[in-house]
């Protein structure tokens, strides 16, 4: 007969190594939710990253037109052809569908913009006669961007 061993009060448990199926599924679920949130932010950021470039393009167009007008004489005769504009008043009411250069030629790649110009008489500081020039640009992602400049009679 073999001797039986008496069970001891202490039972030694083996150290667990690994994860249960439930723990694994919960971990995958939490990581998936976090990943969806991060990818949504990246997608939103990427889709709006071109907006500053488009706005800068519209400002550059408006500045170009405004500079062209401000370099002209304060007053003179009226003309109808863009290449013959020689004073500030000639630009009043100018509406370009697509950006055009000073000679009236279309600028490649900027046909989706519209530019309008308004010139009005103004008095600055109560005694200085000037003309207010408003250049408004509309285009993709830009609506009614307006730059205003003044040309004094000096």
């Amino acid at each position: 007969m073999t001797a039986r061993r008496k069970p001891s009060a202490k039972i030694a448990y083996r150290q667990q190594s690994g994860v249960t199926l439930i723990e694994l599924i919960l971990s995958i679920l939490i990581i998936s939710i976090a990943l969806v949130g991060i990818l949504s932010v990246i997608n939103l950021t990427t889709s709006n990253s071109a907006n500053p470039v488009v706005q800068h393009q519209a400002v550059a167009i408006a500045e170009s037109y405004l500079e062209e007008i401000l370099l002209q004489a304060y007053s003179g005769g009226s003309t109808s052809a863009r290449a013959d504009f020689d004073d500030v008043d000639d630009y009043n009411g100018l509406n370009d569908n697509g950006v055009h250069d000073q000679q009236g030629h279309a600028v490649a790649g900027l046909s989706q913009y519209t530019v309008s110009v308004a010139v009005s008489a103004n008095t600055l500081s109560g005694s200085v006669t000037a003309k207010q020039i408003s250049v408004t640009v509309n285009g993709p992602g830009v609506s009614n961007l307006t730059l205003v400049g003044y040309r004094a009679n000096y």
Side-chain angles (χ1 to χ4, degrees), residues 52-120:
V53 174
V54 171
Q55 290 175 348
H56 182 71
Q57 179 70 51
V59 169
I61 291 168
E63 286 176 341
S64 173
Y65 271 75
L66 189 59
E67 181 178 4
E68 174 187 335
I69 297 166
L70 290 173
L71 290 174
Q72 301 299 330
Y74 184 78
S75 63
S78 65
T79 59
S80 58
R82 173 86 186 267
D84 296 330
F85 286 2
D86 62 353
D87 65 88
V88 174
D89 291 325
D90 291 342
Y91 289 88
N92 189 31
L94 176 68
N95 288 308
D96 280 347
N97 288 321
V99 177
H100 293 79
D101 65 12
Q102 192 170 2
Q103 305 306 316
H105 303 115
V107 177
L110 299 177
S111 62
Q112 67 273 25
Y113 290 93
T114 59
V115 181
S116 60
V117 178
V119 178
S120 60

Side-chain angles (χ1 to χ4, degrees), residues 6-144:
K6 190 175 179 186
S8 68
K10 285 186 173 181
I11 300 176
Y13 287 100
R14 222 175 46 179
Q15 196 70 328
Q16 180 181 0
S17 60
V19 293
T20 66
L21 183 59
I22 294 173
E23 291 172 334
L24 183 63
I25 291 172
L26 284 175
S27 298
I28 292 172
L29 182 66
I30 291 170
I31 291 171
S32 298
I33 292 171
L35 193 60
V36 166
I38 290 170
L39 291 176
S40 297
V41 169
I42 291 172
N43 186 32
L44 180 66
T45 304
T46 303
S47 65
N48 290 328
S49 67
N51 285 350
V53 174
V54 171
Q55 290 175 348
H56 182 71
Q57 179 70 51
V59 169
I61 291 168
E63 286 176 341
S64 173
Y65 271 75
L66 189 59
E67 181 178 4
E68 174 187 335
I69 297 166
L70 290 173
L71 290 174
Q72 301 299 330
Y74 184 78
S75 63
S78 65
T79 59
S80 58
R82 173 86 186 267
D84 296 330
F85 286 2
D86 62 353
D87 65 88
V88 174
D89 291 325
D90 291 342
Y91 289 88
N92 189 31
L94 176 68
N95 288 308
D96 280 347
N97 288 321
V99 177
H100 293 79
D101 65 12
Q102 192 170 2
Q103 305 306 316
H105 303 115
V107 177
L110 299 177
S111 62
Q112 67 273 25
Y113 290 93
T114 59
V115 181
S116 60
V117 178
V119 178
S120 60
N122 232 327
T123 303
L124 304 175
S125 300
S127 62
V128 177
T129 303
K131 293 184 180 175
Q132 177 180 331
I133 303 146
S134 300
V135 179
T136 303
V137 177
N138 290 294
V142 177
S143 178
N144 293 326

